[in-house]
Amino acid sequence: MKKVIPLLVCATVLIMSGNTTSFAAPDTTPPNSMMVQHPSKEQMRKQFEQRLNLTDKQKAKAKAIHQKGREEMRPIMMKIEVKHQEIETVKLTKMTERAQKERIDQINSEIKELEKQAQEIRKKNSQEFESILNKKQKAELEKMKSDRKSTRLNSSHHDISYAVFCLK
């Protein structure tokens, strides 16, 4: 009995010390230098405006176009989200597997139609934005688009997947 009491005290102390460490301050070490810090949306917008050398008037028009586009997109994006939730609900029902697949296929085709509508709005907004640019700005925008496409094609993910493909 005398040996059990000190053992219980030690166990209690260990358990309690374990609980106090869970309330310790969060890790404040700086992020690993290998991690890439991506610019915020605000920083990207400013870089975009500077690279195109937009005037204040153009910036105001661009902002209005962007806001209008977001308002047009909101109901479509909400419908797409509802459709995705509907798919999850269908998966949980007691329908036959075939009936589930048919319903999910139907919902996916509805999602594709909504995505086409969203793409049309994006295209219209892009054209509207380009209409406020002068020739020099349009040329710079086209250069930016081609740079982005080439960056996407030459991404490290592409190189890694190609290297893995070659190793097989």
Side-chain angles (χ1 to χ4, degrees), residues 51-104:
R51 188 158 172 195
L52 288 178
N53 197 23
L54 296 179
T55 65
D56 289 339
K57 189 176 180 181
Q58 287 174 316
K59 289 177 190 178
K61 285 182 181 178
K63 186 175 182 177
I65 291 168
H66 179 73
Q67 286 176 335
K68 186 180 112 196
R70 287 184 61 87
E71 290 302 314
E72 290 176 5
M73 289 288 283
R74 184 171 285 120
I76 293 171
M77 300 312 287
M78 288 175 68
K79 287 177 186 175
I80 290 172
E81 181 60 32
V82 168
K83 294 294 179 187
H84 283 292
Q85 291 171 356
E86 195 175 329
I87 288 173
E88 293 306 313
T89 303
V90 168
K91 288 178 182 178
L92 297 174
T93 62
K94 293 184 178 182
M95 298 168 75
T96 64
E97 191 173 319
R98 181 178 176 185
Q100 278 185 356
K101 184 184 179 326
E102 288 174 358
R103 181 65 184 131
I104 289 171

Side-chain angles (χ1 to χ4, degrees), residues 9-151:
V9 170
C10 287
T12 305
V13 169
L14 286 174
I15 290 171
M16 295 303 286
S17 66
N19 286 340
T20 58
T21 58
S22 66
F23 295 110
D27 184 20
T28 57
T29 56
N32 187 346
S33 61
M34 296 295 288
M35 293 176 58
V36 177
Q37 286 286 331
H38 294 286
S40 69
K41 288 182 182 181
E42 183 66 22
Q43 290 170 328
M44 289 178 66
R45 184 187 55 78
K46 285 182 180 181
Q47 289 173 353
F48 182 77
E49 290 173 350
Q50 286 175 342
R51 188 158 172 195
L52 288 178
N53 197 23
L54 296 179
T55 65
D56 289 339
K57 189 176 180 181
Q58 287 174 316
K59 289 177 190 178
K61 285 182 181 178
K63 186 175 182 177
I65 291 168
H66 179 73
Q67 286 176 335
K68 186 180 112 196
R70 287 184 61 87
E71 290 302 314
E72 290 176 5
M73 289 288 283
R74 184 171 285 120
I76 293 171
M77 300 312 287
M78 288 175 68
K79 287 177 186 175
I80 290 172
E81 181 60 32
V82 168
K83 294 294 179 187
H84 283 292
Q85 291 171 356
E86 195 175 329
I87 288 173
E88 293 306 313
T89 303
V90 168
K91 288 178 182 178
L92 297 174
T93 62
K94 293 184 178 182
M95 298 168 75
T96 64
E97 191 173 319
R98 181 178 176 185
Q100 278 185 356
K101 184 184 179 326
E102 288 174 358
R103 181 65 184 131
I104 289 171
D105 288 346
Q106 179 187 4
I107 296 168
N108 279 328
S109 68
E110 292 169 7
I111 290 172
K112 284 183 182 178
E113 191 58 41
L114 289 167
E115 287 173 343
K116 283 181 187 177
Q117 291 175 20
Q119 188 59 34
E120 287 299 316
I121 292 171
R122 287 185 197 101
K123 187 176 179 180
K124 182 184 77 163
N125 289 339
S126 179
Q127 290 171 345
E128 195 173 342
F129 172 73
E130 289 180 25
S131 73
I132 67 171
L133 302 177
N134 62 36
K135 287 181 183 181
K136 187 176 179 183
Q137 290 168 328
K138 285 180 184 177
E140 183 64 24
L141 181 62
E142 289 305 314
K143 184 175 183 274
M144 290 166 68
K145 287 179 182 179
S146 66
D147 288 349
R148 186 171 176 211
K149 284 180 185 176
S150 67
T151 301

